[in-house]
Amino acid sequence: MNRKKGDKGFESPRPYKLTHQVVCINNINFQRKSVVGYVELTIFPTVANLNRIKLNSKQCRIYRVRVNDLEAAFIYNDPTLEVCHHESKQRNLNYFSNAYAAAVSAVDPDAGNGELCIKVPSELWKHVDELKVLKVHINFSLDQPKGGLHFVVPDMEGNMAERGAHVFSCGYQNSTRFWFPCVDSYSELCTWKLEYTVDAAMVAVSNGDLVETVYTHDMRKKTFHYMLTIPTAASNISLAIGPFEILVDPYMHEVTHFCLPQLLPLLKHTTSYLHEVFEFYEEILTCRYPYSCFKTVFIDEAYVEVAAYASMSIFSTNLLHSAMIIDETPLTRRCLAQALAQQFFGCFISRMSWSDEWVLKGISGYIYGLWMKKTFGVNEYRHWIKQELDQIVAYELKTGGVLLHPIFGGGKEKDNPASHLHFSIKHPHTLSWEYYTMFQCKAHLVMRLIENRISMEFMLQVFNKLLSLASTASSQKFQSHMWSQMLVSTSGFLKSISNVSGKDIQPLIKQWVDQSGVVKFYGSFAFNRKRNVLELEIKQDYTSPGTQKYVGPLKVTVQELDGSFNHTLQIEENSLKHDIPCHSKSRRNKKKKIPLMNGEEVDMDLSAMDADSPLLWIRIDPDMSVLRKVEFEQSDFMWQYQLRYERDVVAQEEAILALEKFPTPASRLALTDILEQEQCFYRVRMLACFCLAKIANSMVSTWTGPPAMKSLFTRMFCCKTCPNIVKTNNFMNFQSYFLQKTMPVAMALLRDVHNLCPKEVLMFILDLIKYNDNRKNKFSDNYYRAELIDALANSVTPAVSVNNEVRTLDNLNPDVRLILEEITRFLNMEKLLPSYRHTITVSCLKAIRVLQKNGHVPSDPALFKSYAEYGHFVDVRIAALEAVVDYTKVDRSYEELQWLLSMVQNDPVPYIRHKILDMLTKNPPFTKNMDSPLCNEALVDQLWKLMNSGTSHDWRLRCGAVDLYFTLFGLSRPSCLPLPELGLVLNLKEKKAVLNPTIIPESVANNQEPVISSNNHGQSVGFQNTEDDHLIKETASSISGHQQGVKRKADMPLGSPLEPGQILEKNEDSKVKLKIRFSNSQEEEEIDMDTVHDSQAFIYHHLNMLERPSTPGKEQSAGEINMHPVSAAPLSVFSKESNSSKHSDHHHHHHHEHKKKKKKHKHKHKHKHKHDTKEKEKDPFVFSNSPASARSIRSPSLSD
Amino acid sequence: GSKQAGTPADNYQLARRRTLQVVVSSLLTEAGFESAEKAAVETLTEMIQSYISEIGRSAKSYCEHTARTQPTLSDIVVTLVEMGFNVETLPAYAKRSQRMVITAPPVTNQPVTPKALTAGQNKPHPPHIPGHFPEFPDPHTYIKTPVSENNIFISFLILRKCKEKEMHPNPEPAKCLISVTLPLISEGRNFSQLPDLLCLPFSLLPVIAARPFTVPYLTALLPSELEMQQMEETDSSEQDEQTDTENLPLHMST
């Protein structure tokens, strides 16, 4: 194994090898937020003529570079500071994404690049030729870093230690270059010596062993010396300095915990569990924790909740909790376990390249899952897997796929493996944060699939093998060239698997790792009584974006009267129907217990079932061994049986969701029974509450008895003598605690015939609040009270009459008034007796927003803005900001949007900045297909600036800005912008691209990419029919053939949900498909003339094209761009015909557009095209509706 | 008690103890002792002090049990019976011939108990209640004031003032004000004088303005004093419970 790995071994992209690095920070000034220090890298040249050394460094000011004590010249160039240079008019996202990816590659350490280029002094050339060691010494300083290092300095009296000021390193992926010059790659390992000189009252925590702490002469400062002898990548180096309180773990003395002053009791409680996690991992991996010590540091204003670095993890201080807190406990423990799993895979074992990231994330996620299973039980584990699966499926179907193992270069098709995305996946730093989260989620799910294939035992053996190889390698000297065995690669991992298990998992890898997409099954069945056979039909949708075709085994479990039977079906290309023989004849009259899957035998009331069929329920892929979404049809009684008797929580949850569609008394009974059953998993019971509320609402006219759940709640939690008074809180039984929390929230969703929340329910909830008594409780009731407020918010229905009257306390709806009083009281109480993590304030803010939205109180963001200020607890700020974001959307407030955006730029907390962009993306004030007064040129410029240069200090933030830009404006030039003066579009290879006429309307119809306006509408023409794809540079008089290029530019189908290529695949023959591909790939090569000068990434490719003379008619030709989207609506009729019935959604969409579009656009033009008369524009787009009429259109437009 | 303590409370204690010593000595004389060792006298003094304290404590409980604030004779009697003392012998013993009369102890100043936070005026007795009966307690302990829009602010302000002026080192009464009763004086609706309140248009009800913290995580994470105290209480009560339920399966085990 060793040898094989060695053969394929890791090839460094650098002409040298780093062996040791010293980082020394002499001075940290909290007041000025500055850092001064030096680094010294020991490197061995691997080629003779090494004369330049490229290193990574961002935002550091570099004073001096010496190589072997000789002054060396250096150049510093960071292209990511400003992605698109100069003030270009270019505003399309495609262009930006390409330029950004190019900029990131230009400094990518994995490609041997870097921002800092050091010239080896000529005196040393001879020395280098002998491949002798070089020492590169760099003096640097950092002043007010905006990323990489985060300073938290509370504004109060006292010295820095008393104020609790601290600083820590942070960032997304490899971000170490932000705070010291290094080779910021996960694949360049070396040993470390770290020195930090800090104030005597402060503690510096860093990687490796603390060798000594030395006071300076004046005794006012001390220096912490850390040594890390295990080869580690610079990206895994971290630092935290602050007046920490220190706790040595009482169970494991090599583990030390650090927290901010006053929090020690919480730290004690929170970390008291960590040793069990340690034991668990060490046991399953049969490997000792690789580092000699482990440190956990809890800091404020964390970048992420958990960040794992070599031998230390940095956590958010908000994970700390006391023994009274129930809800946070499992969450925090999960964070600790996650961090520890990453110590083994991620920190100790690093990755060879970005495309191997999935292995590390997968393994650490997988062993974390095993820990979950052991700690929280199988039910929780399966629930979690289902949750993760649902998430990834939803994300992939939404965005078009997550690719775990992207292969770059090489094949043509793989050139851009993620053409459906608006960002490049070649680099971690260009990824959308959401994509990366989903990537990690998919990675561990795929690991689980591999486990299903090769068994857990082999899986753990593989991990053990990786670890033991790495630990042997880590103890070796650099010269033995063994260090690369501490890096994991996809191929190495797969080889390990095949060696250990002897099984071929290649198909599995091909399906889930080398390819993106999930599987979508639709299942239905019929029972053939004569043959006693179950005829199962399983269809797949593999044409929508984000899906793929699945071929292979699929497990189906059939619960019959005689027991539960597993069948493995072979899903093949064309077979939809599968006959499954049944074991039992229907014989419901015989009284007999029915055996379940787990061997249990139960009595069932079989009266509900179909007399002819022995089938109780059917499940497709019950073990979740395919990344899939299953929509299965079976009758309501089958779902009810499944809910009652199937013991798998996932099946129960599926049944509950399915039962929402069957509002019958039988469903009601099944749900109530589950609710009452104490053996049932609490999450299932919680879910049942919400389903019951929905069913009750659907059955409102026939519902009898008290409101759903009320009597149950009364029986479980209220006094026997006075059912409206709740018992003193006792949360000792967590299951019933969670139920007690959830039931009122679900009950509040009940509606009566007038669609109002029943008075009885509201009063009941108010009584719960009133009589809530937590004095005798061992646990805090803050989450419970918060949920009671959520319940109040849920009970709010839209105000009946809103006639601009000013609302006062007196004319408020009496129910709402009660709610409002309660909320106000809680909110004020929080000021006096704040709850843990201010959960109650958070709920109050949310509830107030609900009241505003429903028109009960005047919509006003002032309150939220005051809570969103810096200085409030982060959860409160997020809740307040969420309300402001929502207000911005509903009230279309430009002012609030500006306020939010300025916060994105100026807020001191990186997480808040990120979160605002994230919330704006999820709840955007407008989208690319919408007309909004907010969408204007200034906003485009502002956002462009934000992503182009304003966020260069934080990868995550920049990607967040890109996401927002995409949501607001799409991939192409935002519609609200005027045309660039030289609207010339180049389209290369035009001769090859012969498009089928059906594509054009399709792409136009699907990309309601709004449009660039110009002064020349009169001259526009519809060119949907154009047969060739030309370079547009003619005047209006010679427009004819060139429209294609312009149009495509306007539409940019890359990011649209329906790519022309994809749609056509079904209908057209393969030839057409091929051609379309071509045309797609050309998209990127289209460039605006005026921006060609700026776009450095492309310039030399296209120089020859520029030689063609441009003619004065550019503006006019560009003006035509307008016409296409305008004509979208009628075109959709055409497209509908062309692509038959497969896409019912889209048709729907089109129809919808059909009516809307005309109006909308008239409106829009009125606003924006001052130069035009309405008549002028109207005509052309009526004409351009039909592709056939294209020719006729030309004439009127030309006559203009 | 040779130490000279400075505080009035200590002086009071000393004086009391001295009196007790005289009592013990006289009883000893009465019993026929001519001299006694200091240690013996001390021990006896200790015993008599404990005995009397116990009578007092116990009598207080009986009195509180019957919802009174001051013990009556019957409380004492029940206490003595409970402690195994034959009450009927007491009058005879009191009238015994050889008893010695001790002079009243020198008057020492009662230690000044820190003035409790008074809220409102104590109600004067209505005419049908004799004047020697104890005063009404603070109104907030019995007045029913439904929780409503205003009073919370008042209580907030009171708490704030208490804290600011350190009117009372012990926050107990104030805390109790807030957590249990909330209600207080209902006059003074003039919110404009209260800088901490913000009458926001959104809610039509006055809300305390959100004030940023310098260290926001501390208030958010640390349990409040009230909670801490609660936790201690429940912890101790739980220990009692645990002894009862030890043989039950522990579903809380991790």
Side-chain angles (χ1 to χ4, degrees):
Chain A
M1 188 64 205
N2 278 358
R3 284 225 36 90
K4 272 181 208 158
K5 271 189 110 180
D7 290 344
K8 283 199 83 174
F10 173 67
E11 279 173 31
S12 171
R14 276 165 289 280
Y16 59 86
K17 179 74 190 81
L18 178 66
T19 61
H20 183 72
Q21 181 165 355
V22 177
V23 179
C24 174
I25 290 182
N26 305 319
N27 191 6
I28 292 199
N29 187 332
F30 281 91
Q31 198 69 54
R32 293 184 39 224
K33 299 188 179 173
S34 66
V35 168
V36 181
Y38 69 85
V39 294
E40 191 178 85
L41 297 91
T42 310
I43 61 174
F44 282 91
T46 49
V47 295
N49 54 356
L50 175 75
N51 54 9
R52 271 160 221 275
I53 299 166
K54 286 188 174 174
L55 295 177
N56 295 106
S57 170
K58 261 169 143 334
Q59 54 170 25
C60 302
R61 181 175 300 151
I62 290 166
Y63 292 114
R64 187 180 185 199
V65 177
R66 279 173 299 164
V67 181
N68 285 10
D69 292 329
L70 292 166
E71 295 290 333
F74 61 92
I75 306 164
Y76 175 79
N77 174 34
D78 183 0
T80 61
L81 279 182
E82 191 180 5
V83 174
C84 303
H85 292 276
H86 315 300
E87 190 35 57
S88 105
K89 292 276 188 307
Q90 185 62 270
R91 288 290 180 265
N92 96 47
L93 189 59
N94 241 341
Y95 174 80
F96 177 84
S97 287
N98 287 327
Y100 182 39
V104 171
S105 303
V107 294
D108 184 14
D110 283 334
N113 295 330
E115 294 89 351
L116 182 65
C117 181
I118 300 166
K119 265 191 184 167
V120 178
S122 51
E123 295 92 322
L124 288 170
W125 287 359
K126 196 158 168 263
H127 182 85
V128 169
D129 287 347
E130 291 159 12
L131 304 184
K132 279 189 185 158
V133 65
L134 291 180
K135 296 221 171 189
V136 182
H137 187 102
I138 305 172
N139 289 70
F140 70 96
S141 78
L142 267 176
D143 205 21
Q144 310 220 331
K146 288 169 122 184
L149 269 192
H150 184 65
F151 281 89
V152 181
V153 184
D155 181 18
M156 56 197 265
E157 300 281 294
N159 67 30
M160 285 300 164
E162 286 159 6
R163 284 154 72 167
H166 56 285
V167 64
F168 58 94
S169 62
C170 59
Y172 160 52
Q173 284 279 331
N174 38 345
S175 297
T176 308
R177 62 183 94 168
F178 281 97
W179 60 287
F180 66 81
C182 59
V183 179
D184 195 6
S185 158
Y186 282 99
S187 61
E188 189 70 38
L189 309 179
C190 69
T191 52
W192 294 82
K193 170 81 175 57
L194 308 155
E195 295 173 32
Y196 306 102
T197 305
V198 299
D199 214 80
M202 297 273 188
V203 179
V205 189
S206 190
N207 318 86
D209 295 309
L210 180 61
V211 188
E212 54 178 349
T213 39
V214 183
Y215 277 91
T216 50
H217 299 301
D218 56 1
M219 300 296 279
R220 289 167 68 186
K221 291 193 167 187
K222 51 185 175 180
T223 308
F224 288 78
H225 294 266
Y226 283 92
M227 284 281 274
L228 184 58
T229 50
I230 291 179
T232 302
S235 317
N236 278 324
I237 296 298
S238 62
L239 165 69
I241 297 173
F244 297 121
E245 298 198 15
I246 303 168
L247 172 71
V248 175
D249 196 291
Y251 303 93
M252 293 180 303
H253 298 301
E254 60 274 34
V255 178
T256 320
H257 312 290
F258 300 85
C259 69
L260 293 167
Q262 300 184 45
L263 298 176
L264 193 61
L266 302 186
L267 183 74
K268 263 184 198 152
H269 177 77
T270 309
T271 56
S272 60
Y273 174 74
L274 188 69
H275 65 282
E276 291 188 33
V277 190
F278 259 100
E279 279 163 24
F280 176 79
Y281 286 143
E282 289 189 348
E283 197 180 315
I284 60 159
L285 298 170
T286 50
C287 171
R288 285 202 57 82
Y289 174 68
Y291 299 99
S292 53
C293 61
F294 181 57
K295 283 146 282 182
T296 64
V297 189
F298 292 82
I299 42 80
D300 190 26
E301 300 184 7
Y303 186 83
V304 280
E305 283 201 316
V306 185
Y309 301 97
S311 85
M312 81 183 262
S313 290
I314 297 183
F315 298 93
S316 162
T317 193
N318 304 334
L319 293 174
L320 295 174
H321 58 85
S322 68
M324 296 164 67
I325 308 299
I326 298 176
D327 300 53
E328 184 61 35
T329 310
L331 300 179
T332 299
R333 289 185 179 182
R334 286 168 71 161
C335 287
L336 290 175
Q338 234 167 348
L340 206 51
Q342 287 174 18
Q343 287 290 313
F344 292 90
F345 294 94
C347 297
F348 181 59
I349 294 194
S350 192
R351 66 175 192 230
M352 243 176 226
S353 70
W354 162 237
S355 60
D356 305 316
E357 169 80 348
W358 77 274
V359 180
L360 291 176
K361 287 292 170 210
I363 299 178
S364 59
Y366 169 80
I367 58 174
Y368 161 68
L370 295 181
W371 170 83
M372 286 255 293
K373 197 196 281 185
K374 183 238 164 195
T375 311
F376 298 118
V378 177
N379 284 349
E380 181 75 31
Y381 174 72
R382 288 187 66 88
H383 169 82
W384 175 66
I385 292 286
K386 172 79 169 51
Q387 213 177 16
E388 298 274 291
L389 183 62
D390 287 350
Q391 263 183 36
I392 184 73
V393 166
Y395 182 77
E396 293 211 39
L397 292 181
K398 186 183 88 186
T399 60
V402 172
L403 185 57
L404 288 184
H405 183 49
I407 302 161
F408 308 104
K412 288 169 208 158
E413 219 186 331
K414 297 240 163 98
D415 261 336
N416 188 0
S419 55
H420 52 274
L421 297 167
H422 60 276
F423 47 83
S424 157
I425 59 167
K426 280 188 192 175
H427 304 282
H429 297 150
T430 54
L431 285 192
S432 150
W433 182 252
E434 196 187 5
Y435 182 92
Y436 184 61
T437 322
M438 287 298 126
F439 174 93
Q440 298 177 43
C441 161
K442 187 167 183 177
H444 81 76
L445 288 174
V446 169
M447 280 297 158
R448 190 176 157 271
L449 299 189
I450 297 177
E451 180 225 78
N452 282 351
R453 186 64 57 85
I454 68 167
S455 87
M456 197 211 294
E457 199 179 69
F458 282 139
M459 199 74 174
L460 294 177
Q461 272 181 35
V462 170
F463 300 161
N464 176 265
K465 191 157 198 170
L466 294 176
L467 284 171
S468 47
L469 274 177
S471 47
T472 335
S474 70
S475 55
Q476 304 286 317
K477 285 268 179 308
F478 158 71
Q479 281 75 8
S480 64
H481 300 287
M482 292 274 281
W483 286 1
S484 67
Q485 297 203 350
M486 298 178 74
L487 304 177
V488 80
S489 70
T490 307
S491 60
F493 173 65
L494 296 181
K495 197 164 276 169
S496 244
I497 286 184
S498 80
N499 282 357
V500 168
S501 71
K503 284 183 187 155
D504 177 27
I505 59 160
Q506 208 50 49
L508 190 151
I509 297 297
K510 212 176 145 203
Q511 180 126 37
W512 305 117
V513 178
D514 294 338
Q515 187 181 333
S516 68
V518 291
V519 182
K520 230 171 144 182
F521 289 122
Y522 298 95
S524 59
F525 77 97
F527 177 67
N528 188 326
R529 196 181 167 191
K530 262 187 198 157
R531 294 166 55 210
N532 196 28
V533 152
L534 163 66
E535 295 169 354
L536 191 65
E537 188 181 41
I538 298 179
K539 282 191 229 158
Q540 280 189 57
D541 168 11
Y542 44 83
T543 48
S544 331
T547 56
Q548 58 165 296
K549 189 190 275 180
Y550 178 76
V551 176
L554 184 71
K555 190 166 145 189
V556 173
T557 304
V558 183
Q559 174 71 46
E560 298 175 34
L561 291 174
D562 275 2
S564 190
F565 301 95
N566 288 330
H567 305 270
T568 308
L569 308 181
Q570 276 303 320
I571 302 292
E572 279 156 25
E573 207 67 26
N574 297 317
S575 72
L576 296 173
K577 303 231 174 194
H578 304 271
D579 284 354
I580 297 175
C582 287
H583 296 72
S584 28
K585 301 266 180 203
S586 57
R587 28 153 216 168
R588 50 191 283 210
N589 295 330
K590 290 191 189 164
K591 282 248 164 184
K592 200 177 166 191
K593 286 194 169 186
I594 292 165
L596 299 180
M597 197 50 160
N598 59 357
E600 204 180 323
E601 299 203 334
V602 290
D603 282 316
M604 287 188 204
D605 173 19
L606 297 174
S607 56
M609 71 185 288
D610 183 358
D612 294 335
S613 148
L615 301 171
L616 284 162
W617 67 82
I618 300 163
R619 296 184 63 207
I620 294 180
D621 186 28
D623 298 330
M624 300 178 279
S625 50
V626 179
L627 302 186
R628 86 296 189 266
K629 176 184 180 140
V630 179
E631 282 173 26
F632 188 67
E633 286 171 31
Q634 57 181 1
S635 8
D636 56 343
F637 68 85
M638 297 175 81
W639 288 119
Q640 286 151 14
Y641 281 123
Q642 181 171 334
L643 173 59
R644 283 170 191 266
Y645 300 109
E646 171 61 63
R647 296 300 185 230
D648 178 10
V649 292
V650 173
Q652 292 172 354
E653 286 172 9
E654 279 166 358
I656 289 176
L657 289 181
L659 280 178
E660 275 175 19
K661 288 176 223 111
F662 302 101
T664 59
S667 301
R668 174 185 172 182
L669 194 65
L671 288 166
T672 342
D673 286 351
I674 277 291
L675 260 181
E676 284 182 82
Q677 204 175 350
E678 273 171 29
Q679 290 95 330
C680 184
F681 186 48
Y682 75 101
R683 287 188 191 272
V684 172
R685 294 166 80 190
M686 284 158 73
L687 197 63
C689 293
F690 290 99
C691 181
L692 193 57
K694 281 186 191 151
I695 286 190
N697 290 345
S698 313
M699 295 170 63
V700 67
S701 51
T702 55
W703 188 270
T704 50
M709 291 172 275
K710 184 167 176 248
S711 55
L712 189 62
F713 189 94
T714 312
R715 203 174 333 134
M716 290 171 78
F717 306 110
C718 292
C719 298
K720 297 219 162 47
T721 45
C722 184
N724 249 26
I725 295 182
V726 68
K727 280 188 214 159
T728 310
N729 292 342
N730 179 3
F731 298 155
M732 289 296 277
N733 181 340
F734 294 158
Q735 281 90 341
S736 50
Y737 162 67
F738 280 106
L739 209 59
Q740 186 177 1
K741 267 191 347 173
T742 308
M743 268 209 253
V745 181
M747 273 166 76
L749 290 169
L750 293 174
R751 297 292 179 262
D752 61 14
V753 278
H754 309 294
N755 206 24
L756 297 172
C757 182
K759 185 99 177 159
E760 189 183 354
V761 171
L762 179 62
M763 288 306 149
F764 184 66
I765 296 169
L766 287 170
D767 277 348
L768 290 182
I769 294 173
K770 188 161 149 195
Y771 295 117
N772 178 45
D773 178 2
N774 205 46
R775 274 175 308 178
K776 293 279 164 61
N777 201 355
K778 194 182 164 209
F779 298 102
S780 166
D781 65 344
N782 62 314
Y783 286 94
Y784 173 58
R785 280 186 294 153
E787 298 226 12
L788 288 177
I789 300 165
D790 292 343
L792 288 181
N794 274 351
S795 74
V796 174
T797 45
V800 190
S801 66
V802 190
N803 34 2
N804 290 341
E805 54 177 333
V806 179
R807 294 220 157 246
T808 61
L809 206 49
D810 301 321
N811 68 2
L812 207 59
N813 174 332
D815 288 352
V816 172
R817 187 185 162 139
L818 289 174
I819 295 175
L820 196 54
E821 278 172 359
E822 216 52 72
I823 293 172
T824 320
R825 193 174 73 84
F826 268 118
L827 206 51
N828 289 334
M829 270 302 268
E830 276 276 281
K831 303 289 188 313
L832 315 173
L833 295 169
S835 61
Y836 177 71
R837 292 190 78 151
H838 298 321
T839 45
I840 293 171
T841 309
V842 169
S843 287
C844 287
L845 291 176
K846 286 183 178 156
I848 290 169
R849 181 63 198 147
V850 170
L851 287 173
Q852 290 191 351
K853 254 181 125 169
N854 284 291
H856 293 293
V857 296
S859 211
D860 178 18
L863 173 85
F864 303 121
K865 279 160 95 174
S866 73
Y867 275 98
E869 268 171 46
Y870 179 67
H872 286 282
F873 187 65
V874 63
D875 292 0
V876 173
R877 299 188 69 198
I878 297 287
L881 285 166
E882 199 168 8
V884 178
V885 167
D886 191 54
Y887 175 85
T888 310
K889 179 187 180 178
V890 175
D891 283 46
R892 298 188 166 192
S893 159
Y894 192 70
E895 191 193 328
E896 309 318 325
L897 185 60
Q898 283 304 320
W899 183 82
L900 287 168
L901 288 177
S902 79
M903 211 167 202
V904 169
Q905 277 159 295
N906 303 324
D907 198 82
V909 186
Y911 179 71
I912 295 283
R913 295 200 293 258
H914 156 70
K915 203 65 196 165
I916 295 173
L917 285 178
D918 182 54
M919 288 188 293
L920 277 172
T921 310
K922 295 219 168 90
N923 192 10
F926 60 92
T927 58
K928 57 184 165 179
N929 299 331
M930 254 156 75
D931 244 340
S932 167
L934 298 182
C935 176
N936 62 29
E937 202 177 336
L939 182 71
V940 174
D941 282 346
Q942 191 180 9
L943 277 176
W944 182 267
K945 222 170 133 191
L946 188 68
M947 62 184 192
N948 191 28
S949 55
T951 44
S952 62
H953 49 272
D954 185 347
W955 310 115
R956 178 174 72 174
L957 197 63
R958 175 171 263 166
C959 297
V962 171
D963 284 350
L964 178 61
Y965 195 89
F966 175 69
T967 315
L968 298 184
F969 309 116
L971 273 177
S972 62
R973 200 177 163 81
S975 59
C976 52
L977 293 187
L979 263 192
E981 280 149 37
L982 299 164
L984 185 66
V985 174
L986 292 180
N987 198 338
L988 310 175
K989 302 183 199 167
E990 72 261 36
K991 275 166 200 159
K992 288 183 198 162
V994 182
L995 286 179
N996 185 304
T998 51
I999 304 159
I1000 302 150
E1002 189 57 51
S1003 66
V1004 171
N1006 288 316
N1007 293 282
Q1008 270 97 30
E1009 214 74 296
V1011 181
I1012 303 153
S1013 53
S1014 87
N1015 326 352
N1016 289 318
H1017 293 283
Q1019 307 207 320
S1020 14
V1021 190
F1023 282 91
Q1024 293 74 22
N1025 242 5
T1026 356
E1027 300 276 300
D1028 38 10
D1029 205 19
H1030 276 282
L1031 194 66
I1032 306 280
K1033 50 186 176 164
E1034 278 86 355
T1035 54
S1037 56
S1038 59
I1039 295 160
S1040 54
H1042 311 291
Q1043 183 60 18
Q1044 195 60 52
V1046 178
K1047 186 205 69 57
R1048 317 201 99 264
K1049 200 204 155 273
D1051 297 332
M1052 283 306 172
L1054 289 188
S1056 65
L1058 282 181
E1059 280 181 43
Q1062 278 173 309
I1063 283 144
L1064 283 170
E1065 267 170 10
K1066 297 164 283 181
N1067 297 343
E1068 313 296 334
D1069 59 8
S1070 55
K1071 260 190 207 167
V1072 177
K1073 216 196 286 181
L1074 196 69
K1075 284 171 190 163
I1076 294 157
R1077 277 270 154 73
F1078 257 120
S1079 71
N1080 265 346
S1081 66
Q1082 281 170 27
E1083 232 83 75
E1084 285 163 33
E1085 290 172 287
E1086 294 172 25
I1087 307 163
D1088 271 9
M1089 259 308 264
D1090 66 329
T1091 53
V1092 161
H1093 305 292
D1094 307 324
S1095 68
Q1096 298 172 336
F1098 301 121
I1099 189 155
Y1100 42 93
H1101 288 300
H1102 302 292
L1103 268 179
N1104 50 346
M1105 300 309 278
L1106 297 179
E1107 285 162 16
R1108 299 198 192 186
S1110 57
T1111 45
K1114 293 151 229 152
E1115 294 160 55
Q1116 285 144 7
S1117 61
E1120 295 142 20
I1121 294 165
N1122 257 322
M1123 301 318 303
H1124 296 272
V1126 173
S1127 63
L1131 282 175
S1132 64
V1133 179
F1134 182 83
S1135 68
K1136 179 188 169 197
E1137 287 154 12
S1138 75
N1139 81 104
S1140 80
S1141 62
K1142 289 205 178 175
H1143 285 270
S1144 50
D1145 309 353
H1146 303 303
H1147 296 167
H1148 184 73
H1149 183 59
H1150 294 177
H1151 281 303
H1152 191 62
E1153 291 301 330
H1154 187 89
K1155 283 179 189 157
K1156 264 192 178 168
K1157 268 289 157 167
K1158 271 191 201 166
K1159 272 191 199 166
K1160 208 170 164 185
H1161 279 279
K1162 260 192 251 169
H1163 180 69
K1164 190 162 129 193
H1165 284 283
K1166 236 190 271 174
H1167 280 300
K1168 290 182 183 155
H1169 313 311
K1170 291 161 195 153
H1171 306 276
D1172 281 300
T1173 60
K1174 245 200 279 173
E1175 290 75 22
K1176 264 188 184 171
E1177 7 171 6
K1178 240 182 170 177
D1179 282 359
F1181 57 80
V1182 172
F1183 278 110
S1184 60
N1185 295 345
S1186 139
S1189 66
R1191 242 160 274 131
S1192 65
I1193 302 161
R1194 260 171 231 154
S1195 36
S1197 62
L1198 288 176
S1199 67
D1200 258 305
Chain B
S2 59
K3 275 183 198 165
Q4 279 300 317
T7 67
D10 285 343
N11 286 338
Y12 181 72
Q13 297 263 335
L14 281 175
R16 207 173 57 186
R17 190 146 176 114
R18 235 175 280 130
T19 313
L20 278 178
Q21 241 162 21
V22 173
V23 170
V24 168
S25 310
S26 65
L27 283 173
L28 287 174
T29 321
E30 200 181 309
F33 290 93
E34 291 188 341
S35 66
E37 274 182 42
K38 197 167 172 72
V41 176
E42 280 295 332
T43 311
L44 287 169
T45 312
E46 196 65 41
M47 285 168 72
I48 200 165
Q49 181 172 337
S50 307
Y51 192 80
I52 293 171
S53 307
E54 177 57 24
I55 292 174
R57 196 197 59 77
S58 199
K60 180 164 172 279
S61 328
Y62 279 113
C63 123
E64 280 173 358
H65 180 68
T66 41
R68 282 174 283 114
T69 55
Q70 291 197 344
T72 58
L73 184 61
S74 54
D75 292 327
I76 311 274
V77 171
V78 176
T79 305
L80 289 173
V81 170
E82 185 68 16
M83 290 172 73
F85 184 80
N86 189 352
V87 185
E88 279 158 23
T89 61
L90 192 61
Y93 180 73
K95 287 174 189 154
R96 70 194 186 279
S97 54
Q98 68 273 46
R99 75 190 166 99
M100 297 174 75
V101 178
I102 306 158
T103 49
V107 182
T108 48
N109 288 334
Q110 192 80 14
V112 188
T113 43
K115 188 154 168 49
L117 178 75
T118 46
Q121 292 290 314
N122 286 2
K123 240 164 71 173
H125 284 159
H128 61 273
I129 295 179
H132 62 270
F133 274 175
E135 286 194 314
F136 272 112
D138 280 358
H140 76 266
T141 55
Y142 60 90
I143 279 182
K144 185 189 169 206
T145 319
V147 172
S148 72
E149 32 195 291
N150 312 328
N151 40 30
I152 181 159
F153 311 109
I154 313 289
S155 43
F156 173 63
L157 283 182
I158 286 178
L159 183 75
R160 278 284 296 281
K161 280 209 176 112
C162 296
K163 277 188 177 166
E164 277 163 16
K165 295 187 181 168
E166 290 181 6
M167 239 166 72
H168 196 297
N170 180 4
E172 210 52 44
K175 217 185 323 180
C176 131
L177 277 183
I178 299 303
S179 63
V180 188
T181 53
L182 276 176
L184 268 190
I185 325 146
S186 51
E187 75 258 24
R189 286 182 172 235
N190 193 356
F191 294 128
S192 59
Q193 292 173 352
L194 316 175
D196 288 323
L197 301 183
L198 185 67
C199 299
L200 285 169
F202 87 91
S203 78
L204 318 155
L205 295 172
V207 171
I208 302 172
R211 289 198 309 180
F213 306 89
T214 42
V215 186
Y217 59 86
L218 282 182
T219 44
L221 299 179
L222 287 172
S224 63
E225 278 170 49
L226 192 71
E227 281 177 310
M228 291 288 269
Q229 186 190 338
Q230 221 175 74
M231 197 155 62
E232 278 157 28
E233 279 167 17
T234 46
D235 270 358
S236 54
S237 65
E238 204 200 326
Q239 275 169 1
D240 304 341
E241 269 170 47
Q242 257 183 3
T243 48
D244 297 338
T245 55
E246 245 169 4
N247 41 4
L248 295 176
L250 279 176
H251 51 97
M252 291 283 300
S253 59
T254 43

